Amino acid sequence: MNRPFGAVDISANLKGAVPKTLTAKILLPSLKREISCKKHMTNFYVVNQAKVETLPQEELQALEAECKSVKPLTAEIAKLKSTPTDSEIDEKLAEAEVTRALHPLRTGAPMTSAEDMARIDADWVRWRSEWVRRRKIFNTFWQIATDALSPQDAAALAEDLGIEFDGPEHVELEKGPLCAPVPFSNRTNLKRKRE
């Protein structure tokens, strides 16, 4: 840099490798050759300006023209830096897909038709009754098979066979409104009416 420095500045720039007083003593012999000294309350050292190389006017104009040609490029670089990357675009697309999928829910549009709901309810009733029937059959056969066994042996046999009984959460679900028996008037009666 072409600016004046004091001995303190030079010592600080050297990270304290050379003490301040020694820096001033080192600079004294070079005063006559390359460095001029301006004396105020402290000494400031400046490179001899007569020996500093200057650029001709043509080169300065060429450099200014080059700077002007670089300005549009810097604007384009800033524009490119502000555009999203491929990963950011992928994230935005994923968010847009989720938003599009949630749009019907936000508008309150029904997701399933009444016919679909009736079919789902009919399937639920049919498969629920099938499951209840199979559970009764299993409990009957299990009772017959383990009647002669002690409770510990029956538990060991169930563990060996990999049988899982209903847990507390299943019992709670059975008592809930989802599995509540349907009133007779709402059931579909498959038997023919007698006339």
Side-chain angles (χ1 to χ4, degrees):
M1 293 173 72
N2 193 12
R3 68 178 184 88
F5 282 97
V8 175
D9 297 328
I10 295 171
S11 177
N13 286 341
L14 295 173
K15 307 281 189 228
V18 179
K20 297 172 195 171
T21 53
L22 186 58
T23 304
K25 289 179 184 176
I26 293 171
L27 290 173
L28 282 177
S30 63
L31 281 176
K32 296 174 185 155
R33 288 177 286 155
E34 298 175 14
I35 300 175
S36 62
C37 177
K38 295 185 179 183
K39 292 186 178 181
H40 295 287
M41 294 188 71
T42 59
N43 291 338
F44 287 100
Y45 304 96
V46 180
V47 174
N48 189 353
Q49 299 296 309
K51 294 183 179 180
V52 173
E53 190 177 314
T54 59
L55 290 175
Q57 189 66 23
E58 297 83 24
E59 286 186 36
L60 283 175
Q61 290 174 349
L63 286 175
E64 286 177 5
E66 187 178 337
C67 286
K68 287 180 183 176
S69 67
V70 169
K71 281 187 180 180
L73 295 177
T74 57
E76 181 140 348
I77 289 173
K79 181 181 171 185
L80 288 174
K81 284 183 179 179
S82 67
T83 58
T85 63
D86 290 344
S87 61
E88 291 172 347
I89 290 173
D90 291 340
E91 289 174 13
K92 294 285 186 184
L93 285 174
E95 289 175 14
E97 289 176 11
V98 168
T99 304
R100 188 176 63 234
L102 292 177
H103 182 70
L105 292 175
R106 290 181 179 158
T107 59
M111 297 299 290
T112 57
S113 65
E115 296 85 25
D116 289 341
M117 290 301 291
R119 183 179 46 77
I120 290 170
D121 287 341
D123 285 348
W124 167 256
V125 169
R126 185 182 72 191
W127 290 112
R128 165 96 175 112
S129 62
E130 181 70 21
W131 178 77
V132 168
R133 188 179 65 77
R134 289 182 182 188
R135 185 175 61 174
K136 284 181 184 176
I137 293 170
F138 167 77
N139 286 336
T140 303
F141 281 127
W142 184 253
Q143 189 65 34
I144 292 169
T146 59
D147 201 18
L149 298 175
S150 67
Q152 293 84 9
D153 292 339
L157 178 62
E159 188 176 334
D160 290 342
L161 295 175
I163 297 173
E164 295 181 8
F165 294 101
D166 290 345
E169 65 275 2
H170 300 110
V171 173
E172 188 67 30
L173 182 65
E174 285 289 320
K175 292 178 183 177
L178 183 64
C179 297
V182 179
F184 183 74
S185 62
N186 293 346
R187 288 187 192 167
T188 55
N189 193 355
L190 299 178
K191 294 183 181 178
R192 289 187 179 177
K193 293 183 180 178
R194 293 186 187 175
E195 296 181 42

